[in-house]
Amino acid sequence: MGRLIAVSNRTAADASARAGGLAVALSDALVKTNGAWFGWSGETTQGQPRGVTMFRNEGVDFLLADLTEEERQGYYLSYSNSLIWPVFHYRNDLARFVEDDFNIYSAVNDRFARLIIARARDDDVIWIHDYHFMLLGEALRREGWTGRIGFFLHIPFPPPEIFRTVPQHYHLARAICACDVIGFQSMNDRMNFIRYLREYCGAREREGDIVEVFGRRVRIGAYPIGIDAEMFKSYVSSEKAQNAVRRISRFIGERLHVIGVDRMDYSKGLPERFAAFGKLLDDYPETRGKLSMTQIAPPSRSSVEEYRELRNQLDALSGRINGDYGDLDWTPLRYLVRSFEREELAGLYSISRVGLVTPLRDGMNLVAKEYVAAQNPEDPGVLILSEFAGAAEQLDQALLVNPYDAANLAAAINMALYMPLEERRERWHALNEIVSRYDIAWWREKFLTDLTGESSIAEDDADEARRAAALRAWRKRSA
């Protein structure tokens, strides 16, 4: 293997972004191979953009391209985030279908392909990330690239009947299959894609995750992304974490604490979560005054109408809950529309009896894994996890819930609050084993091993058994 070339819409060129999952995952491999990372600079130009801005930082070459304002609107805001994002999260009702947007999306993928080809070497390996660049593999092949290409989708992949509502569904699927290895977060997402290929593209499944389609043999696998578990555990004892604990403890006192941390997005199920918390206080009066919930929800795409409506909805729900049940010395729901540093979050997770991770649909959701990593083994909290998050396939010792069922979710919170210590420990130990073993390094090495054939990790019989069990469970749920 030569260099690793990573491609994603945004990169870790900004040092403040390097704590994120993808940056942590890619940094070691990029440094080790003297690699490069292509992406959008985050800047827009009024005229036609030319070439890339290149600089080297900590052993990695960053190559950043500007977008025109038309490209930012058509490729990023519209096609990627107003069509692909809602459809892939099963929200066709929110999707915007505009033909010109696809033309711009395609043109941006083509331009990035030319920029990459101009700087790639024959033995490089290209790893494309996420829904912004679903056409890039095919564009690279058109430019003459014959080397290895991997593609990993970080968001869910919907069932065929939903995917087909995208007018260019066949074009997108064919372009993705120009890659050699295609990765999804969960077995469910993988099987959705394969079912589409089988039913509409004549694909045939072979042994070892191999699928024959469009005249090619591609490997299509489930690669659940993880976190740097050991590093996140270490955050709990940091000064920033302990300071966050001291600050919030002045308000919650001896009450049990419930926490949710989510980007403000309609896929995260925040209105449903607030409604369930209100129902908890309605139906379980013994909890009143005995617990406090903190929901951290950094704003997301605040210029889009759907996100402004979501903000208004959450403001109203939190006001109703606090107005109905708050007292002079108790605020039931603390709702913070801002971001916090990872060390601060680790501290907040560590003192929370319940971690609420209840998206309506999610590719993986790393908050669930961070919450597990931050717990005190002697007195751990309880993870409540949506069965529609990709993490549910791995973290089945959490309390799995249907986030649309307010009564069920309220009952799960009540159960978690008063779960016996022995059961909390048993559940946590099972969850922690998964989070620690299948960490971010495992994810990276597993994918790159399949892509390059150069094994740096060994998959043992237990790994194969777990993969087989996940497949059986998926088929059982789908029957």
Side-chain angles (χ1 to χ4, degrees), residues 42 46 58 66 74 145 215 269 329 338 413 415 426 460:
Q46 296 302 317
E58 297 182 0
D66 295 340
W145 180 254
D329 61 348
R338 51 157 293 191
I413 298 171
M415 176 183 176
E426 289 177 358
D460 59 23

Side-chain angles (χ1 to χ4, degrees), residues 49-61:
R50 295 184 178 180
V52 298
T53 299
M54 178 177 173
F55 65 93
R56 189 168 181 82
N57 187 276
E58 297 182 0
V60 178
D61 290 327

